[in-house]
Amino acid sequence: MASSHSSPLRPRRTAGIFHKDDPRLRVRSLPDVCPKEPTVEGRGLCGGPSVVAEHEPWTVYSSKVNLPAALNDPRLAKRESDFFTKTWGLDFTETEVAPCSHLPSITRDDFSHYLQETAQRERIHERCKTICPNKDVDSVSSVNINHDKTISELEQVPKIFMRPDFALEDPSTFNSVLPWSHFNSAGGKSSRDVASSKLLQEKLSHYLDVVEVSIARQISLRSEAFFHAMSSQHELQDRLQDTQRAVSVLRQRTADMDRVMCQGPLRALRSGLTRNNCVKLHNKLKLMAAVHQTQPTVQLLLSTSEFVGALELIATTKEVLQQELQGIHSFRHLGSQLCELEKLIDKMMVEDFSIYARSDLNRSLRDEPQVLEKERLESLVFGLLRQRKLDFLDIYNEEMISAAKAIVNQCVADCVLQIEDIDTEVVTKLADQMRVMTFPQWFDLLKNVFECFLLFLQRIKSTLSVIRKVVLEALDSHLKNLALETPAPDSSDASQNALQLQQGVAELAYLTHEGLFISDALHDAKHKEQSSSAPERESRQDPVQTAGGANNVSAENMMPSELELNIVLSNLQEALFSASDVSHDRCVKLLTARAKDGSLERLSSAEFVSLSQAVEQFVRDTEELSGRRSVSLRGALQSQANRFVHRFHEERKNKLGLLLDNERWKQAEVPAEFQDLVNSIADGRISLPDRKLSGPDDRKPTDFLLVNGQKYAVVGTVLLLIRMFLEYCQCVNDIPSISTDMLTRLSDLLKHFNSRSCQLVLGAGALQVVGLKTITTKNLALASRCLQLVVHYIPLIRAHFETKLQPKQFSVLRHFDHITKDYNDHISEISAKLVAIMDSLFEKVLSKYEVKAPMPSACFRNVCKQMAKMHEAIYDLLPEEQTQMLFLRINTSFKMHLKRQLSRLGVINDGGPQHGLVVVDVAFYTENIQVLKSLERLDLNMAEIWEQKR
């Protein structure tokens, strides 16, 4: 009890109680790497190897070389003083290690409190040790004393007897133990030899006694464990005897049970297994009989073109051969024969499909059903899909191209037979025959070709729809089979289902042998199996394990995958697109053959519009059938349209040039039809009016063209120009695809009119072209009014073209902005020219002006006369506002020249006689100007002729 009060930090040390060799207190030395001879101490009780751990774990104490040893190596001549500097660099310096700030400084005072608390308990503990000596320590001490005594006795025995390899058979060992040198004296046995022999015998006997005593001492120390082991051995033998008797009884009872309860049922099971094997053998024989009838049945199906049934029968038979009849010698060649037969069926199906496509596409387009022999087509397509012959659409496309060529040839031949003017013996080529036709004849041929191709495409679409339906059914079946797939059943279900499979196959073989088709028999067996296993499928859905199910799995494996079926569907759509493209390509060749000699370019506007409308209608119908936009025929039409537009524009541009070159720039009368044309434009109809079939129009022409209540005095060329740009707009209405090109051409036409009229009027080109004597103010005013009329219609033309263009094409409308600016600049130049005419007159007349009687002066009379002529020339041509603005500019020019002349004469407004004479002339000028029509309220502001007084 006293030991429990000892301090855990201070080990107890009592002299004479613990021995230094006590195994409980022995400190293990570091392991030595050098082997040593075994000693008595090494073979003691506590020095043997450990049963638990042979090797001690390595620690830092196991190290043989450390830092002090390296620094104090005695092998070095002198101690290296630069050990750290040569390793860590010259910057290394030895410094004192600063004490750690996180660890406090520990002194004896820190333990004072602990020593005070434990001092009392230590004194009590020491007192108890003197009163009650430790028995355990005494027993250990006695054991240690005996152990030391045993070790000292064993040390007397030579070490050679303690070696693990001690063997007297070894001559060296034997000689060491028995030194024969003492017994080999020459004189025989002497008393000395006898004494040595006895001494050796006694010594060995002593060694034996020492060892036996040591062994006896060790046995006495472990006698209790020895006797316990012996008693345990006897008890174990008793228990083994009881166990042996129990096992014998159990074996006897088991033998009785086997004889009474097992051997009879086992014989019954063997009999049942034998019966099942016989049934399997019988079923196998019936199945062999059914397989034997496969080839005749396939031949029968092929004779009726039942390709699908024949293929299913072959697949079923091949599967039965591989699974149920594998290894049967009599059927060793049947598999290869079926494979060859299947290849033959593949060729027959491809050939039959080619014949079907040819007959379907080349039959009459009218009064025939859309789909020829639908059941036959479905059977062929399903068979081709089943055999993965997915390129059958290529055959259909080839036949389709040939049929399209035949349609054009037949239509041309039928049309030529109805035309008596064409000699087919002279004109043999179809292209030449088409160029010989008149446009109405060729146009009727083209419409007939369009109609035939529409019927052709409808028939192709119907046929492809039937094929598409078959492919979709195959795809739907494939997806359903994928949805029904479940994980494999367990072993018990597999064995039961395998038994059902054998029975179902046997029944099918019997039915087939009786004359039924294997496919029908499989279907019936599958139906029976499903009806019998319905309750089981309600709980869990197992895969069908019957022969019919096996057939479905086989057929499913042979059918194309979902990806392949989707590719076939895509190819079907592409086939319809291809049919539309082929039809358009043949029509393009029809157009190019006709246009080879330029006949399409020479068509009238109405004829080309009718051609364009027919082509557009055909293209829209084919796009509606195929579902994809086609560009080939539109491109060919666009090419012809560009040529037509070029010829159309050149004709009108040349016509406009001729009209301008013959224009005398006199006011023309406006026929009633042109007034109606302008009125229709005002009502929002930017197109040519329909031609009237009634008699001649009795309405008289008018002097002016009324546009939105304004009068326009025009020349005949402008009236025809209005009709021309309406023709351009009408072409855009009829052929929207040429809107951009037509807009560019119309811009060119308007620019041509502007530039050519400027050359003829402002540039005085009409003097040489038409022989005019001079360009009068009336000619200028009439040209200005014509330009204003064109400027009035440009925004309407722009708005009309804007409705025909795509948003991305609106940039071309900027041409109208440029044209409007050019026209307005031209109008301004004409106004400036009119002012310049009067300005030169004022400069000439007023330079001779003198302020003297009589008044009004002749100069002012001449000016007023010329002003009146100017007014008379332009009053009926220009509107009132423009007339006023023009005369204001003329008046400004007059005031400028008059002011300059008065300044030259030195006349000022000082109220003198000369000032009075000038005032009289100015009053005369003002009176004559304000007498003119529409100039009564014109503010002339004649005070500006006088210099301002400074």
Side-chain angles (χ1 to χ4, degrees):
M1 297 294 297
S3 61
S4 62
H5 299 284
S6 62
S7 173
L9 298 178
R10 298 180 63 188
R12 182 182 55 185
R13 294 190 181 117
T14 302
I17 295 177
F18 295 124
H19 194 270
K20 67 176 182 177
D21 293 329
D22 190 350
R24 292 176 298 173
L25 299 178
R26 182 180 298 165
V27 178
R28 295 183 179 179
S29 62
L30 296 175
D32 197 352
V33 297
C34 300
K36 295 181 179 179
E37 288 290 331
T39 61
V40 176
E41 293 83 5
R43 299 182 63 83
L45 294 176
C46 300
S50 173
V51 177
V52 178
E54 285 290 340
H55 303 285
E56 294 293 334
W58 191 92
T59 63
V60 294
Y61 299 106
S62 304
S63 177
K64 295 299 181 181
V65 179
N66 50 20
L67 185 60
L71 296 176
N72 298 304
D73 191 352
R75 293 174 296 180
L76 299 178
K78 62 177 180 178
R79 183 174 179 177
E80 296 182 7
S81 60
D82 59 347
F83 178 79
F84 294 103
T85 56
K86 78 175 182 180
T87 304
W88 294 339
L90 297 175
D91 297 335
F92 176 80
T93 57
E94 295 185 4
T95 59
E96 276 191 32
V97 179
C100 181
S101 60
H102 300 286
L103 298 177
S105 177
I106 305 300
T107 62
R108 184 176 178 81
D109 296 337
D110 296 327
F111 296 93
S112 60
H113 180 69
Y114 174 77
L115 294 175
Q116 292 176 3
E117 289 182 353
T118 59
Q120 180 65 24
R121 286 179 290 176
E122 184 180 8
R123 287 193 295 270
I124 294 172
H125 175 68
E126 293 295 335
R127 189 167 56 251
C128 290
K129 284 199 305 181
T130 59
I131 297 173
C132 302
N134 195 334
K135 296 181 179 180
D136 295 337
V137 172
D138 294 339
S139 61
V140 170
S141 177
S142 62
V143 170
N144 290 334
I145 292 171
N146 293 329
H147 178 68
D148 294 341
K149 183 179 180 180
T150 302
I151 292 176
S152 61
E153 291 177 351
L154 289 174
E155 286 179 351
Q156 300 175 8
V157 181
K159 293 182 179 180
I160 191 172
F161 292 103
M162 302 299 180
R163 291 173 58 180
D165 56 346
F166 177 79
L168 289 177
E169 294 84 359
D170 188 7
S172 60
T173 304
F174 186 82
N175 292 329
S176 298
V177 174
L178 297 175
W180 292 102
S181 60
H182 298 282
F183 305 105
N184 293 331
S185 60
K189 293 185 178 180
S190 60
S191 58
R192 181 181 176 184
D193 295 336
V194 172
S196 298
S197 175
K198 289 182 179 180
L199 180 62
L200 178 60
Q201 184 177 3
E202 290 177 0
K203 187 183 295 184
L204 293 176
S205 299
H206 176 68
Y207 293 160
L208 178 62
D209 294 339
V210 171
V211 172
E212 288 177 350
V213 169
S214 179
I215 292 173
R217 186 180 291 112
Q218 294 297 328
I219 290 175
S220 64
L221 291 175
R222 291 168 175 77
S223 60
E224 184 179 357
F226 176 76
F227 289 113
H228 177 71
M230 291 301 295
S231 61
S232 298
Q233 179 68 19
H234 291 305
E235 184 180 357
L236 180 61
Q237 289 180 355
D238 295 340
R239 291 184 180 180
L240 285 175
Q241 290 176 359
D242 295 339
T243 302
Q244 183 180 7
R245 288 192 294 270
V247 169
S248 298
V249 174
L250 180 61
R251 285 180 175 177
Q252 181 63 35
R253 290 181 181 178
T254 304
D256 296 339
M257 291 176 63
D258 177 65
R259 184 179 65 258
V260 175
M261 302 178 64
C262 297
Q263 291 182 1
L266 282 176
R267 283 194 298 271
L269 289 176
R270 290 192 189 97
S271 300
L273 183 59
T274 302
R275 182 183 180 279
N276 289 336
N277 289 336
C278 293
V279 170
K280 291 180 181 178
L281 178 59
H282 181 249
N283 292 336
K284 191 79 70 174
L285 292 174
K286 290 195 295 184
L287 187 59
M288 291 174 63
V291 170
H292 184 66
Q293 298 295 324
T294 298
Q295 287 181 313
T297 308
V298 169
Q299 297 295 336
L300 179 62
L301 291 173
L302 292 180
S303 63
T304 58
S305 298
E306 289 289 340
F307 298 110
V308 178
L311 289 172
E312 289 182 356
L313 180 56
I314 291 174
T316 305
T317 305
K318 289 171 64 177
E319 186 172 0
V320 170
L321 286 174
Q322 293 175 359
Q323 296 180 359
E324 304 301 326
L325 303 180
Q326 188 176 8
I328 295 180
H329 186 71
S330 59
F331 289 152
R332 64 186 183 279
H333 300 303
L334 183 58
S336 59
Q337 293 173 0
L338 293 177
C339 291
E340 293 298 327
L341 191 58
E342 190 173 9
K343 293 180 182 178
L344 177 62
I345 294 175
D346 291 346
K347 294 180 180 179
M348 292 176 63
M349 285 193 301
V350 172
E351 184 178 356
D352 198 10
F353 183 79
S354 177
I355 295 173
Y356 173 85
R358 191 178 305 113
S359 60
D360 178 53
L361 295 174
N362 290 288
R363 60 194 174 98
S364 176
L365 295 172
R366 296 177 178 86
D367 301 331
E368 289 283 345
Q370 288 291 337
V371 181
L372 179 66
E373 299 179 11
K374 182 178 179 182
E375 293 77 9
R376 177 188 174 192
L377 175 61
E378 292 176 345
S379 177
L380 281 172
V381 172
F382 188 80
L384 291 169
L385 289 177
R386 193 182 186 283
Q387 295 303 107
R388 294 179 179 267
K389 299 294 182 180
L390 306 182
D391 56 347
F392 63 93
L393 289 177
D394 296 338
I395 300 174
Y396 194 80
N397 289 335
E398 293 175 1
E399 297 296 337
M400 181 175 58
I401 295 173
S402 301
K405 294 179 181 179
I407 287 174
V408 175
N409 294 339
Q410 186 63 37
C411 290
V412 174
D414 294 342
C415 184
V416 170
L417 289 176
Q418 299 175 2
I419 302 175
E420 299 178 355
D421 298 337
I422 300 178
D423 188 357
T424 56
E425 296 180 357
V426 178
V427 184
T428 57
K429 295 183 179 180
L430 294 179
D432 296 335
Q433 294 173 359
M434 286 188 289
R435 284 191 285 271
V436 173
M437 298 178 187
T438 62
F439 177 75
Q441 293 171 345
W442 178 84
F443 190 55
D444 291 338
L445 168 63
L446 182 64
K447 289 191 291 185
N448 186 28
V449 171
F450 286 166
E451 182 182 359
C452 291
F453 273 127
L454 286 176
L455 295 174
F456 180 67
L457 291 176
Q458 290 173 0
R459 175 171 296 173
I460 291 175
K461 185 175 183 180
S462 300
T463 303
L464 293 179
S465 298
V466 174
I467 299 176
R468 181 183 181 85
K469 183 179 179 181
V470 174
V471 177
L472 288 176
E473 289 177 357
L475 180 60
D476 183 62
S477 175
H478 175 75
L479 295 178
K480 287 181 179 179
N481 289 329
L482 288 179
L484 292 176
E485 287 183 356
T486 54
D490 54 17
S491 59
S492 60
D493 293 338
S495 61
Q496 181 180 359
N497 291 331
L499 181 59
Q500 295 177 359
L501 173 63
Q502 300 297 332
Q503 295 175 354
V505 170
E507 294 175 0
L508 292 176
Y510 174 73
L511 291 174
T512 307
H513 184 67
E514 292 298 323
L516 295 178
F517 292 148
I518 287 183
S519 58
D520 299 334
L522 288 173
H523 177 75
D524 295 340
K526 178 183 176 183
H527 180 72
K528 291 179 181 179
E529 192 277 334
Q530 290 177 349
S531 61
S532 63
S533 60
E536 182 181 359
R537 287 198 303 269
E538 291 179 358
S539 60
R540 61 180 179 84
Q541 186 177 2
D542 291 337
V544 180
Q545 296 294 330
T546 63
N551 181 31
N552 287 339
V553 173
S554 175
E556 181 63 26
N557 290 335
M558 294 191 66
M559 289 297 289
S561 63
E562 180 181 358
L563 176 61
E564 291 173 333
L565 291 175
N566 286 326
I567 292 175
V568 173
L569 291 175
S570 177
N571 291 339
L572 283 172
Q573 190 63 39
E574 288 297 329
L576 185 58
F577 295 158
S578 177
S580 176
D581 293 340
V582 168
S583 302
H584 285 197
D585 292 342
R586 304 314 302 178
C587 294
V588 167
K589 291 188 177 181
L590 203 64
L591 283 176
T592 53
R594 176 69 180 181
K596 190 173 183 180
D597 59 351
S599 57
L600 293 182
E601 301 174 19
R602 295 189 295 270
L603 296 179
S604 64
S605 301
E607 290 174 340
F608 193 84
V609 166
S610 61
L611 172 62
S612 175
Q613 290 175 347
V615 172
E616 283 292 334
Q617 183 62 40
F618 173 70
V619 171
R620 284 194 297 268
D621 292 340
T622 54
E623 288 175 353
E624 184 178 355
L625 279 173
S626 64
R628 185 175 72 173
R629 183 179 178 84
S630 182
V631 296
S632 60
L633 188 55
R634 276 199 177 95
L637 179 63
Q638 184 66 41
S639 177
Q640 296 299 327
N642 293 336
R643 298 175 186 175
F644 168 77
V645 167
H646 178 73
R647 183 199 56 81
F648 177 89
H649 174 65
E650 290 299 324
E651 286 181 356
R652 279 147 186 79
K653 186 176 181 180
N654 294 335
K655 182 179 180 180
L656 181 61
L658 292 175
L659 291 173
L660 288 173
D661 290 343
N662 291 283
E663 182 62 60
R664 302 189 67 83
W665 299 100
K666 292 183 179 180
Q667 184 177 0
E669 293 181 343
V670 180
E673 60 172 331
F674 284 97
Q675 185 62 52
D676 295 339
L677 196 62
V678 170
N679 294 338
S680 67
I681 296 175
D683 294 338
R685 295 190 300 272
I686 312 294
S687 60
L688 291 173
D690 298 333
R691 293 182 179 272
K692 297 181 180 179
L693 301 178
S694 59
D697 193 353
D698 297 335
R699 293 178 296 174
K700 295 181 180 180
T702 58
D703 294 333
F704 297 95
L705 186 67
L706 293 177
V707 180
N708 295 334
Q710 287 192 14
K711 293 182 179 180
Y712 283 87
V714 295
V715 296
T717 303
V718 172
L719 295 177
L720 295 176
L721 178 63
I722 293 174
R723 187 176 184 87
M724 286 181 187
F725 68 66
L726 285 180
E727 290 175 350
Y728 280 79
C729 295
Q730 183 66 43
C731 282
V732 171
N733 292 338
D734 297 331
I735 315 173
S737 61
I738 62 173
S739 299
T740 305
D741 197 10
M742 194 63 77
L743 185 149
T744 306
R745 307 293 178 143
L746 179 57
S747 302
D748 182 62
L749 184 73
L750 295 175
K751 290 179 181 178
H752 179 68
F753 174 77
N754 184 40
S755 60
R756 187 60 180 159
S757 60
C758 181
Q759 294 172 3
L760 293 173
V761 180
L762 280 178
L767 299 180
Q768 291 81 20
V769 176
V770 294
L772 294 181
K773 296 180 179 180
T774 183
I775 302 298
T776 63
T777 55
K778 194 167 187 175
N779 299 139
L780 292 172
L782 191 59
S784 176
R785 196 56 173 160
C786 291
L787 294 172
Q788 293 173 24
L789 178 62
V790 176
V791 170
H792 171 77
Y793 282 117
I794 287 178
L796 300 178
I797 298 172
R798 176 194 174 108
H800 177 74
F801 272 90
E802 188 173 357
T803 60
K804 306 298 179 182
L805 296 175
Q806 299 293 330
K808 62 182 179 181
Q809 298 174 330
F810 284 170
S811 59
V812 298
L813 294 173
R814 67 180 184 274
H815 293 300
F816 290 116
D817 299 332
H818 300 159
I819 293 171
T820 303
K821 181 179 181 302
D822 294 341
Y823 270 70
N824 289 328
D825 293 343
H826 190 183
I827 294 170
S828 300
E829 291 175 2
I830 292 176
S831 299
K833 182 66 174 178
L834 292 173
V835 174
I837 292 173
M838 297 305 295
D839 184 79
S840 60
L841 175 66
F842 294 151
E843 184 179 6
K844 179 180 179 180
V845 173
L846 291 177
S847 62
K848 300 177 181 179
Y849 175 64
E850 294 180 358
V851 184
K852 62 180 180 179
M855 293 295 169
S857 63
C859 178
F860 269 73
R861 290 177 185 274
N862 189 13
V863 168
C864 291
K865 180 179 179 181
Q866 296 298 327
M867 294 282 279
K869 287 184 179 180
M870 169 69 76
H871 182 270
E872 181 182 2
I874 68 174
Y875 176 73
D876 292 334
L877 302 178
L878 298 178
E880 183 176 342
E881 304 84 27
Q882 295 183 21
T883 304
Q884 292 176 357
M885 292 299 298
L886 180 62
F887 271 86
L888 280 176
R889 294 175 62 185
I890 293 174
N891 179 60
T892 301
S893 176
F894 172 74
K895 289 188 295 183
M896 181 188 67
H897 288 287
L898 179 59
K899 182 178 181 180
R900 186 181 302 160
Q901 183 63 22
L902 292 176
S903 176
R904 187 182 301 114
L905 296 175
V907 179
I908 58 175
N909 55 344
D910 55 355
Q914 288 187 331
H915 174 260
L917 293 176
V918 173
V919 169
V920 173
D921 279 340
V922 170
F924 175 76
Y925 168 79
T926 303
E927 181 180 359
N928 279 274
I929 294 300
Q930 292 181 345
V931 169
L932 301 176
K933 293 181 180 181
S934 72
L935 303 181
E936 298 86 356
R937 301 176 183 176
L938 194 66
D939 185 11
L940 301 179
N941 194 12
M942 298 306 295
E944 293 180 354
I945 63 175
W946 305 105
E947 290 286 347
Q948 296 294 330
K949 293 181 180 180
R950 299 178 180 177

